[in-house]
Amino acid sequence: MKPQTKVMTAEEAVSRFVQDGDCLALGGFVTNRRPYALVREIIRQRKKRLYLEGGPSGGDMDMLIGAGCVEVMMVSYIANSGYTMVCRRFREAVEAGTLLFDDYSLDVQTIAYHGAALGLSYVPVKNMLGSDLVEKWGMSEEVRRRYPKLPAKKFVVQEDPFHPGEQVCCVPTPQIDVACIHVQEAGPDGTCRIEGAQFQDLDIAMAAKHTIVSCERLVPEEELRRNPERNTLTGLCVDAVVPAVYGAHPSQCFGCYDYDSAFYLNYDKVSRTQEDFDGFIREYVDGCPTHGEYLDKIGADHLLSLAVVPGYGYRPGLKRR
């Protein structure tokens, strides 16, 4: 008996698994293998009041914020490195007080994702001891009580039970409703292959109640079985597989294409004001109802100019600024 296929369109996957008020975690790292195709669909469907798990965040999360989809964000870093040092829609929302956020150090947040994948309610770390993150940043316990998906405290410092006289910082793990990741290859049953750095993708996929995967190539079960050592995520963790070539554009996807400097430069300009950003969303999201139409908008010649050269892993001679 063949396993039931999990292949569907981005519209179907987002409509079925992403609900208003969900805690959403995104894979990739800043400008690397970000699930942009799925994020654009979330914006098209105008999902609201999302709790966003940032980690090493990039422009896809900035788009969600600018589009009014996000109410609360847990973040350690959000930028389009080399183009925008702090994402502009995020910064304006924080300064205006329209986005609730708390920040952790990057290593602590990714450790918390691993704890969530293991089913732990918190992880003990030492990385944040001595810092003033909780004093100068973040939400008070009073504010946290108003939001049911938030832990009551940012962290708890207590004595290490195994080393008297020493302290540990106990950080709560996120309760992720939906994880969205982009991979190079996936099978119809959800089995995934991630080439290159995996970042936090496996942890958030295992921790989430539902996981949506977009992929560059949909590969048959026979191929997955032929080289099982290349499989990195079991289909048991995946609810939907969305075929989406260039689904991480404008970020890079290892072994497939480099990041799109021209697009990032343009986004840096249009994201400076809400008015220009809204125009960008009308043109590149609402004006392109499907991922295929988005690719047509970018243009085949331009997309092919980003393709990596075999043996290099990137596109030599690509204009970066």
Side-chain angles (χ1 to χ4, degrees):
M1 180 181 296
K2 289 188 175 181
Q4 183 179 7
T5 180
K6 298 176 181 178
V7 178
M8 58 186 76
T9 66
E11 181 181 7
E12 291 171 330
V14 170
S15 177
R16 184 179 303 184
F17 296 111
V18 182
Q19 308 302 321
D20 290 350
D22 274 353
C23 176
L24 176 70
L26 303 184
F29 190 98
V30 190
T31 59
N32 196 330
R33 208 165 38 74
R34 305 295 300 189
Y36 270 95
L38 299 178
V39 166
R40 285 188 289 269
E41 184 57 38
I42 291 171
I43 295 173
R44 288 188 197 103
Q45 296 188 22
R46 294 304 190 267
K47 300 298 182 180
K48 299 293 184 183
R49 305 189 311 279
L50 297 176
Y51 291 62
L52 199 57
E53 277 291 333
S57 310
D60 51 342
M61 291 189 171
D62 195 56
M63 287 172 58
L64 286 169
I65 294 167
C69 299
V70 183
E71 185 173 40
V72 182
M73 184 174 184
M74 299 295 166
V75 66
S76 55
Y77 180 77
I78 177 166
N80 287 328
S81 296
Y83 301 95
T84 309
M85 299 321 295
V86 177
C87 282
R88 299 183 186 279
R89 292 298 88 212
F90 164 80
R91 177 171 181 169
E92 183 169 302
V94 170
E95 291 177 343
T98 58
L99 175 69
L100 285 172
F101 85 106
D102 223 329
D103 66 338
Y104 295 81
S105 67
L106 178 58
D107 47 3
V108 165
Q109 199 160 12
T110 49
I111 290 170
Y113 294 150
H114 188 58
L118 295 174
L120 303 176
S121 60
Y122 71 92
V123 289
V125 299
K126 290 199 170 186
N127 311 53
M128 287 169 60
L129 291 177
S131 75
D132 59 1
L133 282 172
V134 76
E135 301 296 336
K136 292 189 175 182
W137 300 94
M139 294 170 278
S140 67
E141 292 179 31
E142 178 183 0
V143 169
R144 285 172 172 270
R145 283 194 289 268
R146 302 176 200 159
Y147 297 88
K149 292 185 183 293
L150 290 178
K153 297 177 181 290
K154 182 172 183 175
F155 58 72
V156 174
V157 176
Q158 66 180 40
E159 184 175 65
D160 186 336
F162 300 104
H163 299 87
E166 297 185 15
Q167 291 184 320
V168 292
C169 179
C170 299
V171 176
T173 58
Q175 305 300 304
I176 301 171
D177 292 307
V178 184
C180 293
I181 66 174
H182 184 75
V183 305
Q184 284 88 352
E185 294 182 335
D189 70 337
T191 301
C192 296
R193 289 176 173 175
I194 298 176
E195 299 176 12
Q198 297 174 0
F199 309 121
Q200 73 275 12
D201 293 26
L202 300 186
D203 285 331
I204 63 173
M206 289 188 285
K209 295 176 184 176
H210 300 290
T211 295
I212 304 173
V213 171
S214 57
C215 63
E216 293 292 322
R217 298 180 291 274
L218 186 66
V219 298
E221 179 185 358
E222 295 75 20
E223 184 173 339
L224 295 171
R225 290 179 178 275
R226 193 175 301 122
N227 299 107
E229 73 281 358
R230 294 182 55 205
N231 302 337
T232 51
L233 179 65
T234 172
L236 295 173
C237 300
V238 177
D239 296 274
V241 176
V242 177
V245 62
Y246 283 91
H249 180 272
S251 67
Q252 61 185 283
C253 184
F254 179 81
C256 299
Y257 45 88
D258 217 319
Y259 56 83
D260 190 337
S261 298
F263 195 99
Y264 277 128
L265 285 169
N266 180 58
Y267 185 79
D268 178 63
K269 295 177 181 177
V270 300
S271 62
R272 296 183 185 194
T273 68
Q274 188 65 44
E275 181 180 5
D276 287 345
F277 174 83
D278 291 342
F280 167 83
I281 292 296
R282 286 193 297 270
E283 182 177 1
Y284 286 95
V285 180
D286 297 331
C288 303
T290 67
H291 181 60
E293 289 170 285
Y294 171 81
L295 296 183
D296 288 341
K297 171 76 174 177
I298 301 301
D301 288 345
H302 182 66
L303 290 170
L304 289 173
S305 74
L306 304 174
V308 302
V309 173
Y312 283 84
Y314 64 96
R315 182 74 179 194
L318 188 67
K319 186 177 181 181
R320 304 284 169 177
R321 293 294 298 180

